[in-house]
Amino acid sequence: MPKFEKLNLPREGQLITFEEGKPNVPNNPIVPFIRGDGTGVDIWPATQLVLDRAIKKSYGDERKINWFQIFAGDEACEIYGTYNYLPQDTIEAIRHFGVAIKGPLTTPIGGGIRSLNVALRQIFDLYSCVRPCRYYTGTPSPHKNPQNLDIIVYRENTEDIYMGIEWKAGDDNCVDLINHLNNIVIPKSEGLKNRSIPNGSGIGIKPVSKTGSQRHIRKAIEHAKRLSGNKKHVTLVHKGNIMKYTEGAFRDWGYELAINEFRNDCITERESWILDNIQKNPDISIENNAKLIEPGYEKLTNDKKTFICEEVKEVISSIAQSHGDGKWRKLVLVDDRIADSIFQQIQTRPQEYSILATLNLNGDYLSDAAAAIVGGLGMAPGANIGDNAAIFEATHGTAPKHAGLNKINPGSVILSGVMMLEYFGWDEAANLITNGISKAIEQKQVTYDLARLMEPEVKPLSCSSFADAIIANF
Ligand code: NAP
């Protein structure tokens, strides 16, 4: 047990441990929580009450969370001193206890400190950010059929342009780097010879690794395996048509993982086409089968034609028996979409998607866009998951102008708590809360942000009364 400088450990409770990336959760775990800045003062008490009541109602005295208060953000500076936004106590507590939940945190300005949320993700290697977006009946939405959207965005959390490896235009290192790239690296690179980076550019580096991509996509596929029907579906979202060796590689490594590591559980979209066409045309030759699956086959080079014929042969010989005759429909379907098209598709054909596994920046945009369809950030939960730790968090910020007014919507942190209960395997308590939220919204018992969008507008509940309305519906 680490020695804490200023923290009071709960008297009871046990440690959550991890085995091969999965948590072993005792019936009385100690769970550190960070109340959060700004509206955290309103949101956290409402959240804790809802979680505790749902656990009590579901399991009586058999299960209980022993809450352990730790500090970050402005609150930490009050206790640990100026600029101590992320004290060592907090880092040690999360490292030791493994699972934590947090309200929103101010991004510090000055003192050379970066985003606390990004820092926590990097310190604990929380490589997958998981953001479910589903609709609760009655929530005001700008969309005509928001109920059709029920997706989970899996955003890679540790790589991509978010690593913050960048140089300002005109900075000496930036100028050196541009000269090195223009004079040495680009001329030596096949296919780049006529290009050059304009002088005066700023430079940002976008690293995307095979290990980083595959461990993230692995989590997404494992999640899809637990779903049913057409929700057993992972879409790799990328901009590989433009960024071939980063975003395109993410897609290729995703397919490679699906085929090599999840062969009995997965089928790719292309393999499913091949099998379905073969099923319909059992007697035709490999070349004719290849023509069926590849529009414009006749115009391809001989190399490409050979490649496609080999692909068809390989699919038939390796999985026609096990996955053919439509058996693949019970497996996880893995396909891919270009990032810009998926923004359209979640609006126009949302019911066709389930888990969207993507890179860091795409995932940031995509999860907010999806949250907007189902009612906005007040209802959008999030979790950051690694192999040895997980932090559940609000997706919105501290909304300082609403702080301390008992007004804000606690839905995002409450639903993040639901994700934590599901992560524990405490599904009864999790379901109780999601049903309670659904019913409260159907009864138009909502906070100001949703009340003002309802037609006709309804009288809003306070933050704490919304929590009470959820509990009353258990
Ligand atoms: P914000 O705190 O998310 O608030 C922007 C607006 O979003 C609010 O004024 C409010 O709109 C609405 N909103 C936020 N939380 C809501 C909730 N729980 N229920 C209903 N509506 C909610 O964004 P910001 O003002 O740009 O950022 C403030 C601080 O938070 C900054 O320091 C920022 O860096 C930080 N931040 C932290 C996180 C995090 O901890 N995960 C995320 C983002 C930003 P109306 O006033 O129109 O109702």
Side-chain angles (χ1 to χ4, degrees):
M1 170 77 66
K3 279 219 159 68
F4 297 114
E5 192 194 340
K6 296 190 186 211
L7 298 177
N8 297 317
L9 261 178
R11 286 208 196 91
E12 291 173 14
Q14 287 181 305
L15 196 64
I16 296 171
T17 53
F18 287 81
E19 215 179 310
E20 291 181 1
K22 304 218 164 56
N24 292 317
V25 183
N27 279 340
N28 59 346
I30 294 178
V31 176
F33 73 93
I34 296 168
R35 183 200 69 189
D37 298 325
T39 46
V41 295
D42 308 298
I43 289 172
W44 178 255
T47 301
Q48 189 178 328
L49 185 72
V50 170
L51 296 178
D52 284 344
R53 290 289 175 82
I55 294 166
K56 180 89 180 167
K57 173 116 184 168
S58 304
Y59 312 113
D61 293 331
E62 197 192 323
R63 285 181 175 165
K64 181 182 175 223
I65 291 178
N66 297 279
W67 297 108
F68 175 28
Q69 184 164 23
I70 60 175
F71 303 94
D74 292 340
E75 204 187 5
C77 296
E78 284 164 26
I79 295 167
Y80 290 87
T82 317
Y83 292 141
N84 207 342
Y85 286 98
L86 193 55
Q88 199 55 29
D89 267 2
T90 300
I91 294 172
E92 289 309 324
I94 299 175
R95 200 185 309 283
H96 186 69
F97 291 104
V99 176
I101 182 165
K102 60 178 268 298
L105 293 175
T106 310
T107 300
I109 297 170
I113 300 170
R114 61 199 173 138
S115 159
L116 298 177
N117 300 309
V118 175
L120 285 168
R121 289 169 197 160
Q122 290 182 350
I123 291 169
F124 297 107
D125 199 19
L126 306 172
Y127 55 82
S128 288
C129 174
V130 186
R131 292 191 172 172
C133 290
R134 56 158 284 200
Y135 183 68
Y136 291 91
T137 308
T139 311
S141 157
H143 205 270
K144 272 192 187 157
N145 293 304
Q147 70 283 357
N148 289 345
L149 186 82
D150 180 7
I151 60 166
I152 304 167
V153 178
Y154 262 75
R155 166 189 174 192
E156 202 289 324
N157 235 353
T158 57
E159 300 191 342
D160 200 352
I161 202 78
Y162 266 69
M163 287 190 82
I165 302 176
E166 40 177 18
W167 293 269
K168 194 174 167 188
D171 173 281
D172 285 349
N173 289 324
C174 191
V175 173
D176 281 354
L177 184 61
I178 290 174
N179 287 339
H180 181 67
L181 291 171
N182 281 346
N183 300 332
I184 297 179
V185 180
I186 293 178
K188 275 203 303 193
S189 308
E190 198 62 41
L192 293 182
K193 288 199 171 102
N194 295 328
R195 311 214 189 142
S196 73
I197 298 167
N199 285 326
S201 302
I203 298 277
I205 302 273
K206 180 183 173 76
V208 176
S209 74
K210 180 171 179 174
T211 309
S213 300
Q214 290 196 334
R215 66 180 183 169
H216 170 65
I217 297 166
R218 184 177 294 116
K219 277 225 177 321
I221 294 178
E222 275 164 358
H223 191 147
K225 279 171 60 184
R226 300 194 294 272
L227 302 178
S228 54
N230 67 356
K231 288 289 162 194
K232 288 172 98 76
H233 180 185
V234 174
T235 303
L236 306 166
V237 177
H238 60 88
K239 193 72 189 154
N241 52 335
I242 304 297
M243 292 171 269
K244 296 187 186 353
Y245 305 124
T246 51
E247 305 237 346
F250 176 87
R251 172 204 55 210
D252 295 346
W253 291 325
Y255 280 131
E256 184 189 294
L257 180 86
I259 290 172
N260 290 347
E261 205 174 301
F262 292 94
R263 183 66 286 179
N264 295 332
D265 303 295
C266 280
I267 181 114
T268 68
E269 189 176 40
R270 194 165 164 86
E271 288 171 340
S272 74
W273 286 337
I274 293 174
L275 289 183
D276 281 0
N277 280 299
I278 289 161
Q279 228 87 66
K280 279 191 227 129
N281 302 284
D283 297 327
I284 62 177
S285 70
I286 293 291
E287 179 158 0
N288 282 331
N289 272 322
K291 281 181 197 163
L292 277 176
I293 65 150
E294 194 68 34
Y297 180 85
E298 309 298 349
K299 289 189 206 130
L300 297 175
T301 61
N302 280 341
D303 278 0
K304 183 79 183 161
K305 285 181 184 168
T306 311
F307 177 84
I308 294 167
C309 287
E310 285 302 316
E311 185 191 1
V312 172
K313 250 197 301 192
E314 167 66 22
V315 170
I316 298 168
S317 66
S318 64
I319 58 168
Q321 285 276 323
S322 53
H323 294 50
D325 282 322
K327 289 190 209 101
W328 64 264
R329 289 178 203 285
K330 294 208 166 85
L331 307 178
V332 176
L333 176 68
V334 179
D335 58 10
D336 74 280
R337 295 288 179 270
I338 302 284
D340 37 73
S341 89
I342 205 74
F343 278 87
Q344 283 190 51
Q345 302 245 314
I346 60 168
Q347 309 257 4
T348 53
R349 292 149 66 179
Q351 62 281 6
E352 290 179 19
Y353 294 95
S354 174
I355 291 182
L356 305 180
T358 191
L359 302 100
N360 209 334
L361 181 62
N362 294 337
D364 196 8
Y365 296 152
L366 194 53
S367 54
D368 273 26
I373 295 175
V374 294
L377 287 182
M379 297 298 292
N384 298 292
I385 314 263
D387 286 335
N388 301 306
I391 300 181
F392 297 81
E393 67 173 4
T395 50
H396 54 71
T398 57
K401 70 178 173 185
H402 301 299
L405 302 178
N406 191 19
K407 175 183 175 191
I408 203 81
N409 185 351
S412 171
V413 184
I414 293 176
L415 287 168
S416 303
V418 168
M419 291 180 77
M420 184 175 78
L421 296 175
E422 287 167 349
Y423 183 72
F424 288 177
W426 296 11
D427 290 350
E428 298 80 0
N431 292 339
L432 213 53
I433 299 173
T434 38
N435 288 337
I437 291 179
S438 289
K439 287 187 193 149
I441 294 174
E442 276 178 56
Q443 296 155 0
K444 299 188 187 299
Q445 304 202 60
V446 292
T447 44
Y448 83 96
D449 52 315
L450 301 183
R452 71 185 167 191
L453 297 174
M454 285 185 166
E455 289 175 0
E457 198 175 323
V458 299
K459 192 163 175 277
L461 293 187
S462 67
C463 175
S464 55
S465 302
F466 181 53
D468 293 339
I470 297 169
I471 293 166
N473 278 302
F474 281 174

